[in-house]
Every structure is written in C-alpha cells, then in structure tokens.
C-alpha cells in the first residue's frame, strides 16, 4: 500500500507540474506577443505575411523549449546517478543509473510538446496584429476596456472543452470506478484516485480564485494598516486595474502552494498510518514468530518454558502474551452461521489467554461497543463468558449479529458444534492481523472455550494448544543496553530452531524514519522547483502590469510621487497577492491531505489526528514575503526612468 501511495503522489506531482509549466509558458509567450505588438505591426507593414508571424512565434517557442529539454534531461541524468548511488549504498544492491525510456518520453512530452500546445493561443493572438499597430495613439490599455462581440455560428471552445471534461468525468465515475473495484485492478483504481485528487484541487482553486479581490483586500488591510493612506490607495487601484492578470497569478501560486502542502502533509500522514498499521499488527515492541512445518503444529514446543522464564526474570519486560494458532491451521475451516443456517461466513477463530488485550498496543484496537464499558478478553473467562465470543464488526450486516441472539459455530461438521453469544464486535484487534480488508473475518474466544471446541483435535490442556507467536512489551527504550541483552538472550534460546525468528519494531520504525527523510528531501527539491516557477511567473506578471501602467506611473511621478513610494506600492500589491494566494493554497493542500487521510481511516480503521503543517506554512509565508520584495525591486527601474521621456513616448 505504501508503494501505491508513493505512485499516487508522484503522478499527482507530475500532473501539477505539467499544469504549472503550461500556465507559465503560456503567460510568458502571451506577454511577449503583447509587448512586441508594434514590432510585429512594422514587419507586417513591410510585407511580412501571417505565415511569417507564425514562424517567428514558433521559432521563439523552439528557442525556449529545445535548450530547456536538453538541459532538463542532463540534470535528470545527473540527479539519477547521485540518487541511485546513494540508494545502492544503503540497500547493498546494484541499481542501474540510466534514465528509463518511459521517463525520457515523459520528459520529451513536457519539454517539447507542452510548450507547443501552450503557444497556440499566443500564436493566435499574434496573428491578429494589423499593419497599423505602430500608428495607434494609445496602444497601452488603461482601466477602461471595450470588448467587441461578433455574432458567430461556431460553438465557443470553452463550452466544448467543459462538455468533454464533464462527460469524461461521468464515464470515469459511472464505469471505470466500478470496473476497478470488481476486477480488483489497483492500477486503474490508482489512476482514478489521481484524477479525482487533481479535479478536487483544480476545482478548489477555480472557486476560490473568484474571491481573490476579497482575499487581497483583507491581507492589504491586515498587514499594511500602518502605511500612508495614499500609498495604500494606489496599491488598491493597482490591484483593481490588474485584477485579470493577478487572478492568473493567484491561481498559479495557490496551486503550487497547495501542491507543496499536500505532498508534505500526505507523506507525514502516510508514514504515520504505516507506522500505526505495523504497531497494530505487531502488538508489541518485540515478537518471537513461529512458522508451521510438517513435523509439528507448534513451533514453540522446543523452548516455550525457557522463553517464559527469561521474560519473567528480565526487568526490561513489562508484560508478554502468547497468540495461539487459529483453528483453521490444525482443526479445519471455522464458520459462523446464523440460527437456521441461512447465512454463513468463514472466520479465523483464536483462543486467547487472559489479559491479552492488556499486553498489546490496545490504543490500536477498535471496538463497536454494545455496552457503556468495552468488554475485555478477561470477561470471556467468566461463567457467562465461556459461552461468548468477540466477532468481527464486518460480519454484523451479513449475519445479522445482535446482542443476545446466539450464532452457531462449527468447524466443517454437519451439525453446529456450539451456540455462542456475541459479547462485542471488533473492527481491529492489536496483535492479530485484522482489519476491514482481512479475510476470513476474526472471531476470538477464551482459551478454555478453545479447548472445549478443540476436543475433537485432542486438546486436553493449555499445553496442547499450538502457538503462533510471542508478543513482548518493553519497559525500557530501544537505546538501552538492557534491550540488547534481552535480544541476545532470546536469540540464544531459539538458536538452532529454523522455525523461530525474532521481529523488532525498532527495525521497521528506523526504516520508516529513513524513508520519511528521503521522501521529504525529494519533495523539498520539487517544492523549490515549484516556487522558482511561481517566482518567475510573479515577476512576469508584475513586469507586464508595470509596462501597462507606464503612462499612469509617469503622470503620478510628474505630480510628485517619489520613487521609494512607487516601490512600496508595488510591494503592497505583490505581497497582498502572494500572501492571499499562499494562505488559500496552504488551506487547500491541507484539506486535500485530510480528505486522503480520512480515506485511509475508512479502509484501515485508524484514528489518525489532523496534523497541520505549521512549520511549512510559516516557511511558505516567509518565501512569499521575499518573493514580493524581489519582484517589487526588479520592476522598480521601470518607474525610475526619466519622467519626460516616458511621457514623450505615450
């Protein structure tokens, strides 16, 4: 499941980077086309046809995409060599350090095909430039915009695209999702989850982008209430006049922030879910596992007494308990039937020792309590409990389990062996592999009840009950020398017995910590790339807005606006835009990670807390402040040029 989850994250990150790259390249080409309007008009006036304009745009796209594609493949190959050598040293295996053909194909599509697609609309825009562009008196738009709509029988492309997407989404939900569940095709199911996650993220961004004016106004007032009123008013006017362009920057930046927060939060949540699942199955910090062979059903016959003696004498052990073999291993298939035998379900029946649930990680057990006080395994050792069992909660609907109504249990015989009452329903029990996805379902009784049921297998006493594993809870930390002494004693006892082995939670936990560190480092690099792309998009947007307002800026400077005030106005505009989009993106990414975590809660019945990435959120806000400052400084020379020269060019 962890590998499937990592594949899901990689696919989501890949699609999001494709979208970000598409938007940024599109914005750059569109800005360049608008900025070269006069130049294209002069070329058209000198006789250049529309095909020549198209060739200019295509050459520019090639000059951007081809070097980027080659540089990207080279950097990827270098990163692969470094990363795989590091992983080879950790795993002790030889891993080929060459780019796979699939990765080269994806990189080629991203480096060559994607820029070509993103340049279609700027190309269409450039083809509309007329030869009289250089003679237009006012070529820079102001706060007033006039749109001319022509009657046309053609259907708008946006309507066609929306119809195609909604139809494909309906087919995906109505056909592909049930097919993946019925066919148990995890690949199709994983791709569906990728599409659903991306759809949710894009829909959140699209919806909240319509409230960008409210968010930017709130942040400008909250963070710059101390600023001079005329500076705040100028920044407010800029936000209004640049709202269409700022909305695109808002969407790109919030999408990138949401992706970063989602990846980081999902990694943390998945690692913790894996850790909790391992702890639930293990039941304790140390386990001695036994495997069945043909010679004996009980692999612990050789050294059960010695193990118990060592554990009782050790101060490092708080408690220990045995887990017997299920009845399926030595008697036959166990089946629960309702009265009348209409419905039946195979189960794994375990006869547990007293206080079993007190010697395991009981915080990972999940019960559907029918009483105010949750019953324990010790309650099964009473007179009434000898006729009761714990059953899986997922049998309730199929068998119609109700408190006070007995069910029949048999082990392959024609007649039911016994009628038992259901004391409680268990969704998951620590120390026993049991969950919503476990088959056959779980059933637990006392060890004395198991002996009574196993009379046909010649189980005369507790010593005859076959055991599967020994669960040990520690009273010390893993770093204590006493821990190593305990492991050494256990290893000495089971030495020479091939069917016995020692399992340590420490080993798995250390591996998970290392995996989390590596994954966080990898996605940190992706985060740096995403923030770099967004910073470039921000500077492009601010530069386009500054050139668009060149006439207004020159007029304001002519009547006394200082250069430092202009930098402050640009900073307020950039910071209000980035801080608002950062806050929105952080909340979007975190909520998407919470939704995915809740899906795991449904499948695995884990009680996972909602962890908000406070440190990451503060870091992203600081990066937003720095990006706003850098962007305002970069575009400040546009307003610092000679006032008369600017007014003369208008």
């Amino acid at each position: 499941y962890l590998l499937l989850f990592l594949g899901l994250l990689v696919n989501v990150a890949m699609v999001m980077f494709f979208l970000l790259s598409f938007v940024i390249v599109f914005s750059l080409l569109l800005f360049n086309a608008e900025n070269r309007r006069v130049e294209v008009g002069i070329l058209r006036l000198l006789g250049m046809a529309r095909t020549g304009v198209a060739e200019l745009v295509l050459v520019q796209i090639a000059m951007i995409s081809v070097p980027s594609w080659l540089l990207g493949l080279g950097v990827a190959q270098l990163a692969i060599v470094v990363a795989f050598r590091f992983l080879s040293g950790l795993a002790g295996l030889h891993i080929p350090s060459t780019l796979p053909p699939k990765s080269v194909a994806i990189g080629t599509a991203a480096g060559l095909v994607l820029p070509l697609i993103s340049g279609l609309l700027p190309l269409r825009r450039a083809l509309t430039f007329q030869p009289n562009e250089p003679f237009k008196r006012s070529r820079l738009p102001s706060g007033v915009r006039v749109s001319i709509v022509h009657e046309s029988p053609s259907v708008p492309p946006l309507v066609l695209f929306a119809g195609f997407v909604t139809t494909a989404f309906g087919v995906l939900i109505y056909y592909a999702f049930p097919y993946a569940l019925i066919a148990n095709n995890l690949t199709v199911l994983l791709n569906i989850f990728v599409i659903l996650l991306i759809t949710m993220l894009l829909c959140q961004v699209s919806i909240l982008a319509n409230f960008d004016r409210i968010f930017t106004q709130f942040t400008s007032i909250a963070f710059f209430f101390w600023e001079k009123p005329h500076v705040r008013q100028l920044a407010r006017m800029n936000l209004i006049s640049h709202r269409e362009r700022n909305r695109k920057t808002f969407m790109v930046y919030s999408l990138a922030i949401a992706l970063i927060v989602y990846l980081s939060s999902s990694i943390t949540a998945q690692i913790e879910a894996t850790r909790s699942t391992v702890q639930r199955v293990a039941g304790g910090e140390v386990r001695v596992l036994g495997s069945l062979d043909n010679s004996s059903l009980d692999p612990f016959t050789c050294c059960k007494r010695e193990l118990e003696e060592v554990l009782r004498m050790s101060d490092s052990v708080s408690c220990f308990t045995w887990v017997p073999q299920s009845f399926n291993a030595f008697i036959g298939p166990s089946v629960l039937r309702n009265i009348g035998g209409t419905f039946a379900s195979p189960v794994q029946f375990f006869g547990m020792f007293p206080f079993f649930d007190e010697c395991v990680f009981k915080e990972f057990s999940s019960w559907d309590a029918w009483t105010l006080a949750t019953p324990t395994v010790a309650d099964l050792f009473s007179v009434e409990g000898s006729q009761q069992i714990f059953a899986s909660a997922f049998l309730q609907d199929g068998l119609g389990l109700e408190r006070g109504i007995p069910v029949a249990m048999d082990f392959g015989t024609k007649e039911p062996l016994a009628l038992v009452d259901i004391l409680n329903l268990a969704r998951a029990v620590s120390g026993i592999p049991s969950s919503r996805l476990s088959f056959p379902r779980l059933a637990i009784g006392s060890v004395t009840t198991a002996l009574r049921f196993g009379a046909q297998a010649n189980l005369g006493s507790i010593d005859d009950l076959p055991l599967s594993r020994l669960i040990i809870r520690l009273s010390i930390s893993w770093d204590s020398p006493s821990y190593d002494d305990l492991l050494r004693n256990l290893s000495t006892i089971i030495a020479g017995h091939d069917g016995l082995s020692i399992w340590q939670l420490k080993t798995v936990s250390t591996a998970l910590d290392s995996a989390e560190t590596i994954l966080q480092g990898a996605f940190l690099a992706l985060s740096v790339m995403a923030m770099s792309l967004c910073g470039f998009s921000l500077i492009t947007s601010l530069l386009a807005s500054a050139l668009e307002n060149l006439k207004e800026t020159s007029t304001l400077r002519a009547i006394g606006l200082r250069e430092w005030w202009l930098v402050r106005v640009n900073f307020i505009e950039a910071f209000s835009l980035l801080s608002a989009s950062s806050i929105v993106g952080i909340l979007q990414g975190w909520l998407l990670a919470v939704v995915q975590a809740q899906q795991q809660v449904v499948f695995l019945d884990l009680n996972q807390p909602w962890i908000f990435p406070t440190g990451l959120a503060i870091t992203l806000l600081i990066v937003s402040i720095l990006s706003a400052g850098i962007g305002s400084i970069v575009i400040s020379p546009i307003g610092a040029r000679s006032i008369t020269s600017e007014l003369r060019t208008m």
Side-chain angles (χ1 to χ4, degrees):
Y1 187 79
L2 182 59
L3 294 178
L4 292 177
F5 171 78
L6 293 179
L8 175 65
L9 287 187
V10 170
N11 291 336
V12 171
M14 188 181 304
V15 174
M16 289 295 102
F17 268 105
F18 276 9
L19 292 176
L20 289 175
S21 302
F22 175 84
V23 173
I24 290 174
V25 174
F26 166 77
S27 302
L28 177 63
L29 294 176
L30 187 61
F31 167 72
N32 185 72
E34 291 289 346
N35 198 35
R36 300 179 62 183
R37 177 190 293 265
V38 175
E39 180 182 348
V40 174
I42 294 175
L43 293 175
R44 292 290 311 279
L45 186 63
L46 295 176
M48 178 178 284
R50 293 179 183 270
T51 55
V53 177
E55 290 175 359
L56 284 177
V57 177
L58 292 177
V59 168
Q60 182 183 7
I61 294 175
M63 293 178 64
I64 295 175
S65 59
V66 174
S68 302
W69 170 63
L70 295 175
L71 181 62
L73 290 181
V75 173
Q77 179 61 60
L78 180 61
I80 285 291
V81 171
V82 175
F84 281 12
R85 284 184 179 179
F86 174 73
L87 294 177
S88 298
L90 289 180
L93 300 174
H94 174 69
I95 304 176
S97 56
T98 56
L99 285 175
K102 181 180 178 181
S103 301
V104 175
I106 295 175
T108 302
L112 299 180
V113 181
L114 191 64
L116 184 62
I117 297 175
S118 60
L120 293 179
L121 190 58
L123 174 61
R124 181 181 177 185
R125 179 64 175 165
L127 293 177
T128 61
F129 295 159
Q130 301 299 324
N132 62 345
E133 292 291 340
F135 304 102
K136 291 184 178 180
R137 297 286 298 176
S138 179
R139 58 181 177 85
L140 296 177
S142 182
V144 179
R145 177 168 297 178
V146 178
S147 299
I148 300 176
V149 180
H150 298 279
E151 182 180 1
S152 175
S154 61
V155 181
L158 185 60
V159 176
L160 289 176
F161 179 74
F164 174 77
V165 170
T166 52
T167 302
F169 189 79
V171 172
L172 176 72
I173 298 300
Y174 194 78
Y175 172 76
F177 190 72
Y179 165 78
L181 293 178
I182 294 175
N184 197 22
N185 193 326
L186 295 181
T187 302
V188 176
L189 194 62
L190 178 64
N191 293 327
I192 292 175
F193 286 158
V194 170
I195 295 175
L196 291 178
L197 288 173
I198 294 173
T199 303
M200 286 190 292
L201 186 57
L202 293 179
C203 289
Q204 290 177 8
V205 172
S206 302
I207 292 173
L208 295 177
N210 294 281
F211 302 95
D212 61 322
R213 180 72 188 94
I214 299 176
F215 295 136
T216 54
Q217 186 175 3
F218 170 77
T219 52
S220 62
I221 294 175
F223 293 100
F224 298 99
F225 61 91
W226 48 270
E227 186 58 273
K228 295 181 181 296
H230 55 274
V231 175
R232 285 192 284 112
Q233 183 65 20
L234 287 175
R236 178 174 176 272
M237 293 175 61
N238 282 350
L239 287 171
I240 294 174
S241 61
H242 305 153
R243 184 178 181 184
E244 183 177 350
R245 183 178 292 107
N246 288 342
R247 180 178 296 176
K248 296 177 182 177
T249 306
F250 182 92
M251 294 179 64
V252 172
Y253 208 86
S254 60
L255 184 63
I257 296 295
L259 175 63
I260 294 172
V261 174
Y262 163 72
L263 292 176
S264 178
S265 301
S266 297
I267 290 172
T268 303
Q270 181 59 38
I271 292 296
E272 292 302 320
T274 305
R275 195 189 308 274
S276 299
T277 303
V278 171
Q279 289 177 329
R280 170 195 285 175
V281 174
E285 291 86 354
V286 179
R287 291 188 301 172
V288 180
L289 303 177
S291 59
L292 295 178
D293 53 31
N294 297 329
S295 60
S296 174
L297 291 175
D298 189 356
F300 290 93
T301 304
C302 60
C303 48
K304 178 169 62 175
R305 301 298 181 188
E306 290 83 351
L307 290 173
E308 291 180 350
E309 185 66 24
V310 167
L311 296 178
R312 289 192 184 100
M313 298 296 296
S314 176
D315 296 332
S316 305
V317 178
S318 61
C319 64
F320 64 92
T321 185
W322 293 97
V323 178
Q325 301 280 358
S326 69
F327 269 36
N328 301 42
F330 61 93
I331 292 183
S334 306
V335 179
L336 276 183
R337 307 178 188 274
N338 66 335
I339 300 300
T342 307
F343 303 102
S345 175
V347 296
Q348 287 196 87
F349 179 75
F350 293 89
M352 290 302 175
F353 290 88
F355 309 109
F356 164 81
D357 44 6
E358 298 296 329
C359 287
V360 294
F361 296 127
K362 57 182 178 181
E363 62 269 20
F364 297 109
S365 298
S366 178
W367 304 86
D368 284 349
W370 282 344
T371 59
L372 295 178
T374 303
T376 63
V377 174
D379 296 327
L380 297 175
F381 286 84
S382 62
V383 176
E384 184 180 5
S386 62
Q387 300 295 328
Q388 296 174 331
I389 63 171
F390 294 145
S392 173
F394 308 109
L395 295 174
Q396 184 173 12
D397 295 334
L399 298 181
L401 301 181
E402 295 184 16
R403 185 173 176 82
I405 299 180
V407 293
M409 172 170 272
D410 67 74
F411 304 99
T413 58
K414 294 183 179 181
E415 298 296 331
L417 179 63
L419 294 178
V420 293
D421 291 327
I422 305 299
L423 179 60
N424 200 7
L425 297 177
R427 305 183 69 86
V429 178
S430 180
I432 304 176
S434 57
S435 67
R436 185 185 300 271
L437 306 178
S438 299
F439 295 96
R441 299 301 189 182
L442 179 67
I444 297 177
S446 65
V447 66
T448 54
T449 303
L451 292 176
R452 187 173 72 252
F453 289 168
Q456 58 179 314
N458 299 322
L459 296 181
S461 65
I462 293 179
D463 293 334
D464 299 329
L465 189 64
L467 304 175
S468 64
R469 52 192 171 274
L470 173 62
I471 299 177
I472 304 171
R473 293 295 308 277
L474 302 177
S475 58
I476 57 174
S477 64
W478 294 331
D479 300 328
S480 174
S482 301
Y483 176 75
D484 296 330
D485 294 338
L486 175 63
L487 293 180
R488 192 179 302 108
N489 294 333
L490 295 177
S491 301
T492 302
I493 294 175
I494 67 173
H497 303 285
D498 296 335
L500 299 179
S501 61
I502 297 177
W503 180 92
Q504 303 178 58
L505 180 61
K506 175 184 178 180
T507 304
V508 179
S509 182
T510 303
L512 289 176
D513 292 338
S514 301
E516 183 177 11
T517 301
I518 294 174
L519 291 175
Q520 291 288 3
F523 286 111
L524 177 62
L526 294 178
S527 302
V528 172
M529 294 173 56
M531 296 302 295
S532 301
L533 292 174
C534 292
F536 180 78
S537 176
L538 170 69
I539 294 176
T540 304
S541 176
L542 292 177
L543 184 60
S545 299
L547 292 176
E548 183 178 297
N549 278 8
L550 202 55
K551 181 178 180 179
E552 289 83 352
T553 302
S554 301
T555 304
L556 290 173
R557 291 203 52 218
I559 62 176
L561 182 68
R562 299 178 181 177
E563 296 180 13
W564 171 239
W565 289 0
L566 183 61
V567 176
R568 286 154 58 185
V569 170
N570 293 331
F571 178 76
I572 292 176
E573 178 185 4
F575 178 80
S576 301
L577 179 63
L578 294 190
S579 59
S581 57
S582 297
I583 294 173
V584 171
I586 290 171
L587 294 178
Q588 288 175 340
W590 179 66
L591 290 177
L592 191 63
V594 168
V595 170
Q596 186 174 6
Q598 292 306 303
Q599 181 195 60
Q600 295 181 355
V601 170
V602 172
F603 279 112
L604 303 177
D605 295 298
L606 293 174
N607 296 323
Q608 286 188 271
W610 293 6
I611 303 176
F612 185 79
T614 306
L616 179 61
I618 295 175
T619 303
L620 292 175
L621 290 176
I622 293 175
V623 172
S624 300
I625 296 174
L626 296 177
S627 301
I630 294 173
S632 60
I633 293 175
V634 168
I635 67 171
S636 60
I638 296 178
R641 288 184 288 183
S642 174
I643 300 174
T644 56
S645 62
E646 296 293 352
L647 293 176
R648 190 180 298 117
T649 58
M650 295 296 114

